[in-house]
Amino acid sequence: MWACAKVFDLTLVLALASAAPALAEAPGRVVSINLCTDQLAMMLAAPGQLVSVSDLASEPQSSSMVRQAAGYAVNHGQAEEVFLMHPDLVLAGSYTALATVDMLRRLGIPVVQVPPANSLAEAVEQVRIVGAALGQEERAEWFATRFETSIRAARIAGPRYSAAFYHPNGYTTGSGTLADEVMGLTGFDNIAATAGVTGGGVLPLERLVMAAPEVLVTSEPYPGASRAEEVLTHPALRAVQDNAGATLHTDADWVCGTPLIMRAINGMRRAHIRLDCKDPGNWNSKMCRLDAQ
Amino acid sequence: MKVLLSLLLLVLLLFAASLLVGPAGLGVGDSLAALFRGEGDAVVLVMREIRLPRALLGAMVGAVLGLSGAAMQGYLRNPLAEPGIIGISSSSALGAVLALQTGAAAMFPLALPLSALSGAGIAVLLILALAGPRGGAMALILAGIAISALAGALTSLVLNLSSNPFAAMEIVFWMMGSLADRSMQHVWLAAPFMVAGSALLLAMGRPLDALTLGEDAAASMGVNLTRLRWQLVIGTALAVGASVAVAGAVGFVGLVVPHLVRPLMGARPSRVLPASMLGGACMVLAADVAVRIVAPDQDLKLGVLTALIGAPFFLHLIWRLRGAEA
């Protein structure tokens, strides 16, 4: 059974959505100091409305919108530099740069804090929250509706495979997280969630080896050496990868609960299709013939 | 001899325990079948690639730390000498971190232990120069604190400047040490240096016995003091450097173990050295089994446990010395 719905192409959407007029009460100068609010603001703000995004937005390891971020001034989340940009509104995360947020509020600058999304429903909701803060409700509603439709269309009902996230220091992602929901949506059972990990946590390498996941989702090492990342080249983990049907790398698309998470979802969908196509019974299906090309 | 045999037996028991304890919770029979006969895919992987290197490194690291502690105490005739306390471990951690962060270790794997043992060697030379050949407890400890602080600060600086966001979080590993997720590559990388270092240090037994009578007496008995000094410097650098390069700086083993074995073996260095080697292996293996029982799903640092035992012991020694000096 193939769930082969067309999932919307984000770049196309970005191009389509660039022309809606800003409302009268919309803040004129917006500064974002958080990677995830950067993304939402770049998608939703009217031309000229967003003044600056955080420095992380131009780092390819964590940001999916490096090219777009090049069009904005860079800030480092310091109260002083943000204040000197004379913003009418600052967008921030709810757990980072708390001292900066307090200071900006004391200086009389309105700050909207957006909590990190722990589910796809929350991710959709945040599009609306940021849209409202920017006075771009209409455009936000358009994005949110498309986002919801794509999520529904991305669900895979076929056979379920086991999968695990494995990051430096043996860090993994368990139940109650956005990443776990992405796995569940695309037809995978998260080994860490089964092992009782809630939120983020450590899965000892031994237990990962014993669980033998069919898909391993790991991360690209950063430049420069670290002992934390050495575990990713451990011979036992390599053997797990060799036995698994597919290895994926979590990249910037997994970092934020924004419409960009659709790219991560599509990556998982492709992994699911690849595993399906290992079953000789599926070799003649249209999807596997497409995949083989 | 009887003591050495019982210590060896204890090492073997703890080695077996280290192989059988782990977060995966495997049965004893399955584990041993996998280890020796290669039965069961995932279990073989766990036993041969994860637990075996961990147990081997635990024994090796403990052995060289215990031995170098005993050798330094014998040479300096000072009960407080120990690679961790006097900054040798932290200097070799600095060497290791430099090799990793400059990318030298990635191009040439031996650069890691070589750089770590250079760090250790420089620290031993500095200590001997600062504390003097007959260095009193005070001079030795003060010199050690200075070197330790400097090396620690430089290690933190290098890690903070790294382009890798994980590197800064590794300061704890280099200060406390851990055997989690090591592989056989680390065993092969460290083993040759540890064997060479241990051979040099074990050969110091007889000359150190003579040295207990004083330097003049030792010299008149034919001990070449310059040679002995270099034997200590190179032996400690090789042993401690290789150990820190793969497991970080595990403190207090070299301090505690010689004091524990002396009541059993007598005070003669030639007898204390091999016993400290076995005792050190026991201590680190036991600590590494304990970290996995206390916190199976977290990488509790080895140095936390050895410091919990070692630091009070250190205070006790200082207390006793104070009484002796007063």
Side-chain angles (χ1 to χ4, degrees):
Chain A
M1 217 246 45
W2 301 108
C4 50
K6 174 135 175 48
V7 174
F8 81 105
D9 178 3
L10 191 95
T11 41
L12 180 70
V13 170
L14 286 175
L16 284 174
S18 59
L23 295 179
E25 74 271 23
R29 290 178 65 79
V30 178
V31 171
S32 165
I33 60 169
N34 172 278
L35 175 68
C36 298
T37 57
D38 288 345
Q39 292 185 358
L40 290 169
M42 285 190 275
M43 282 175 211
L44 299 171
Q49 189 185 16
L50 179 64
V51 181
S52 167
V53 292
S54 75
D55 49 347
L56 279 178
S58 29
E59 257 182 36
Q61 287 261 7
S62 39
S63 169
S64 296
M65 292 177 76
V66 173
R67 201 165 44 82
Q68 291 90 333
Y72 299 91
V74 171
N75 71 71
H76 304 83
Q78 307 284 319
E80 192 175 311
E81 62 172 338
V82 173
F83 181 71
L84 291 175
M85 290 173 176
H86 307 291
D88 307 324
L89 174 70
V90 170
L91 294 173
S94 51
Y95 298 112
T96 48
L98 290 180
T100 309
V101 168
D102 283 349
M103 171 73 79
L104 289 169
R105 285 202 171 125
R106 274 202 299 278
L107 295 170
I109 296 172
V111 180
V112 170
Q113 285 177 288
V114 183
N118 287 322
S119 68
L120 289 165
E122 278 176 39
V124 172
E125 197 44 41
Q126 280 173 9
V127 176
R128 297 194 172 103
I129 293 173
V130 172
L134 293 169
Q136 307 288 348
E137 286 87 349
E138 213 172 305
R139 193 193 312 214
E141 191 50 44
W142 187 86
F143 261 97
T145 321
R146 295 298 299 263
F147 191 13
E148 280 171 328
T149 318
S150 318
I151 293 170
R152 272 198 301 276
R155 178 168 300 282
I156 290 185
R160 293 186 78 76
Y161 301 109
S162 63
F165 294 101
Y166 213 64
H167 300 302
N169 277 332
Y171 193 83
T172 187
T173 316
S175 56
T177 59
L178 184 67
D180 180 63
E181 199 183 338
V182 169
M183 267 192 184
L185 181 78
T186 49
F188 293 98
D189 291 320
N190 184 357
I191 278 174
T194 320
V197 177
T198 314
V202 170
L203 188 65
L205 185 54
E206 294 190 358
R207 289 181 46 193
L208 181 78
V209 170
M210 294 306 294
E214 287 162 289
V215 166
L216 191 69
V217 188
T218 174
S219 34
E220 294 277 11
Y222 280 86
S226 77
R227 186 183 181 275
E229 290 166 334
E230 256 184 57
V231 68
L232 300 181
T233 56
H234 194 287
L237 188 69
R238 289 233 190 91
V240 171
Q241 290 187 16
D242 293 344
N243 295 333
T247 301
L248 271 76
H249 291 280
T250 53
D251 48 14
D253 298 332
W254 287 83
V255 176
C256 288
T258 67
L260 286 159
I261 195 79
M262 285 311 302
R263 294 196 199 161
I265 291 177
N266 287 337
M268 291 302 286
R269 284 171 53 84
R270 280 194 294 275
H272 197 281
I273 291 166
R274 234 174 296 150
L275 287 174
D276 281 341
C277 294
K278 293 203 165 169
D279 177 358
N282 288 328
W283 282 353
N284 281 325
S285 73
K286 190 179 159 205
M287 192 64 88
C288 294
R289 273 181 285 151
L290 275 176
D291 191 54
Q293 278 169 11
Chain B
M1 212 54 214
K2 221 192 249 167
V3 178
L4 282 184
L5 276 178
S6 3
L7 276 173
L8 186 65
L9 193 68
L10 192 58
V11 171
L12 292 176
L13 277 174
L14 287 163
F15 186 82
S18 181
L19 282 174
L20 295 174
V21 171
L26 307 172
V28 175
D30 289 350
S31 310
L32 294 178
L35 185 63
F36 293 109
R37 293 204 297 272
E39 286 166 12
D41 275 351
V43 193
V44 172
L45 218 51
V46 169
M47 293 307 295
R48 290 191 178 167
E49 299 289 347
I50 300 176
R51 291 202 189 161
L52 184 62
R54 183 168 189 156
L56 284 172
L57 280 175
M60 288 156 57
V61 165
V64 298
L65 289 178
L67 177 60
S68 36
M72 300 202 78
Q73 289 176 16
Y75 180 82
L76 293 163
R77 281 157 289 157
N78 186 325
L80 300 183
E82 194 260 352
I85 294 172
I86 61 178
I88 298 170
S89 300
S90 47
S91 304
S92 55
L94 175 61
V97 165
L98 281 174
L100 285 171
Q101 295 301 326
T102 54
M107 284 189 288
F108 171 55
L110 279 179
L112 177 67
L114 286 176
S115 176
L117 67 89
S118 315
I122 292 170
V124 187
L125 285 174
L126 272 174
I127 288 286
L128 293 183
L130 285 167
R134 242 168 266 116
M138 210 46 143
L140 179 75
I141 296 304
L142 288 180
I145 289 172
I147 290 176
S148 201
L150 184 65
L154 289 174
T155 304
S156 306
L157 178 70
V158 172
L159 290 173
N160 272 310
L161 292 179
S162 165
S163 56
N164 190 310
F166 292 105
M169 306 191 300
E170 248 125 71
I171 296 171
V172 183
F173 162 75
W174 292 110
M175 287 190 322
M176 289 306 215
S178 163
L179 291 171
D181 298 336
R182 304 278 82 184
S183 64
M184 287 310 281
Q185 292 156 0
H186 296 104
V187 175
W188 296 125
L189 204 58
F193 298 100
M194 290 181 167
V195 169
S198 303
L200 279 174
L201 293 176
L202 278 174
M204 287 174 71
R206 283 291 159 78
L208 285 182
D209 285 350
L211 198 63
T212 51
L213 305 171
E215 280 181 19
D216 294 335
S220 69
M221 288 163 76
V223 173
N224 182 341
L225 287 172
T226 322
R227 208 189 122 197
L228 190 65
R229 185 188 179 92
W230 281 107
Q231 214 170 337
L232 177 80
V233 172
I234 298 170
T236 315
L238 285 167
V240 177
S243 140
V244 171
V246 293
V250 183
F252 294 105
V253 178
L255 179 79
V256 174
V257 170
H259 287 281
L260 291 182
V261 299
R262 256 180 223 122
L264 305 172
M265 299 295 292
R268 273 172 55 193
S270 59
R271 291 166 61 82
V272 172
L273 288 178
S276 296
M277 197 171 175
L278 294 172
C282 290
M283 182 169 170
V284 171
L285 280 171
D288 191 44
V289 169
V291 295
R292 280 178 282 173
I293 292 173
V294 174
D297 285 358
Q298 270 139 13
D299 179 20
L300 179 59
K301 299 289 177 271
L302 208 48
V304 174
L305 276 193
T306 55
L308 280 176
I309 304 164
F313 193 83
F314 187 51
L315 287 175
H316 167 74
L317 280 178
I318 292 181
W319 186 258
R320 250 181 25 195
L321 275 184
R322 205 192 62 149
E325 278 174 13

